[in-house]
Amino acid sequence: DASVKQIIDTAVRYDAVVKSLELVQDSFVERLADSMRIVIKPDFFFTKHGMSTSVDAVRAVLDFILEFTNKEITIAEGLYDGGNINKVFHNAQLHELHDDYGIKYVDLNKDEFVTIRLGADALSLASGSSLSVRVAKTIINSDFRVSLAVPKILRGNYHSAMANLALGSVVSNAKTLAKNDKAKIISSRHSAGAIAEILKVARPSLAVVDGFESVAGKRSLETNFCVASADGVAADAVAAAALGSRLKKKIPKQKYLELCQKAGLGQSSIAKIRLLGEKL
């Protein structure tokens, strides 16, 4: 079973994130304390207020994990279009954290990378076909990865913690498809398989889904929940159900979560997930 904490009707984002982490801390703090290279991957798929990771959520994660480690923490992100992340970090007030926490910042699109070949079997491609993508070394080489994501429904598909880490870690140097490995995945009919394959080498050690505000289409909605788990697949599955209950609609099962479960990366079945805190 996977333990997941969910808080419903959260009044204060910071408190919600901390409380969610407290209830599942036994599942990850030992590994956190032993880790040397800790990375927080925020969610700036959109850069508008309410559609991206809040500085309050980042502070909550930092305050919590620094109770168990004195190692330097890296905040790493790479924009979809290859643009410079520093301006976005400034606008989101993330650079204000440097003086308080001694944070290191990394633009994943400018990072050294490892090229990973996603084979035909994994992506259900024709025999002999493959898709090669560049994955940032900061993510690959880290030994504790935190995916701090915003729940999103885009074109009928749900994405959050797992997709945030998988797609964010892939290098993009421009908007053109030839230089944008994120676009190669998103535009592919086999994006679910690609995400699952990347997560085999870059899965989160801790997933935090900050549903204080969620994204539906291109709108930001107040949804007031938070989910945390050492099992990122379970966190996404529970967050999808929580978001569906807020929107009064059932969110279909997501193929990438089912493929992640098949690959042994986590549990996607709500019936098999042990919930701590508020029930769905």
Side-chain angles (χ1 to χ4, degrees), residues 148-206:
L148 177 50
V150 176
K152 295 175 287 293
I153 299 177
L154 304 172
R155 298 177 181 175
N157 293 316
Y158 168 85
H159 293 286
S160 198
M162 297 296 272
N164 174 54
L165 188 57
L167 293 173
S169 65
V170 172
V171 174
S172 164
N173 298 128
K175 292 182 179 180
T176 58
L177 194 61
K179 295 183 178 181
N180 190 329
D181 289 2
K182 300 182 201 295
K184 290 179 185 178
I185 294 172
I186 292 174
S187 63
S188 169
R189 293 185 295 110
H190 311 288
S191 60
I195 289 172
E197 284 298 295
I198 293 167
L199 287 166
K200 288 180 180 179
V201 297
R203 67 193 287 186
S205 310
L206 174 63

Side-chain angles (χ1 to χ4, degrees), residues 68-79:
F68 304 97
T69 182
N70 60 1
K71 304 299 186 296
E72 182 183 59
I73 297 172
T74 298
I75 295 180
E77 175 64 300
L79 296 180

Side-chain angles (χ1 to χ4, degrees), residues 86-163:
N86 289 324
K87 181 179 179 180
V88 174
F89 278 170
H90 275 295
N91 290 342
Q93 301 178 328
L94 293 193
H95 273 301
E96 295 180 4
L97 303 173
H98 182 268
D99 290 342
D100 292 336
Y101 300 97
I103 297 297
K104 177 182 178 182
Y105 299 91
V106 171
D107 186 337
L108 294 174
N109 289 329
K110 296 180 179 179
D111 199 20
E112 294 182 9
F113 58 83
V114 175
T115 300
I116 296 178
R117 182 175 175 271
L118 309 178
D121 291 342
L123 303 188
S124 300
L125 298 172
S127 178
S129 300
S130 65
L131 175 65
S132 293
V133 296
R134 297 162 294 165
V135 181
K137 280 191 174 181
T138 291
I139 299 296
I140 294 287
N141 293 338
S142 60
D143 51 5
F144 195 91
R145 308 179 190 100
V146 182
S147 179
L148 177 50
V150 176
K152 295 175 287 293
I153 299 177
L154 304 172
R155 298 177 181 175
N157 293 316
Y158 168 85
H159 293 286
S160 198
M162 297 296 272

Side-chain angles (χ1 to χ4, degrees), residues 14 17 27 35 41 45 103 106 121 123 185 188 225 234 243 273:
Y14 179 96
V17 174
S27 63
S35 297
K41 166 63 178 69
F45 186 90
I103 297 297
V106 171
D121 291 342
L123 303 188
I185 294 172
S188 169
F225 70 87
L243 180 57
I273 297 172

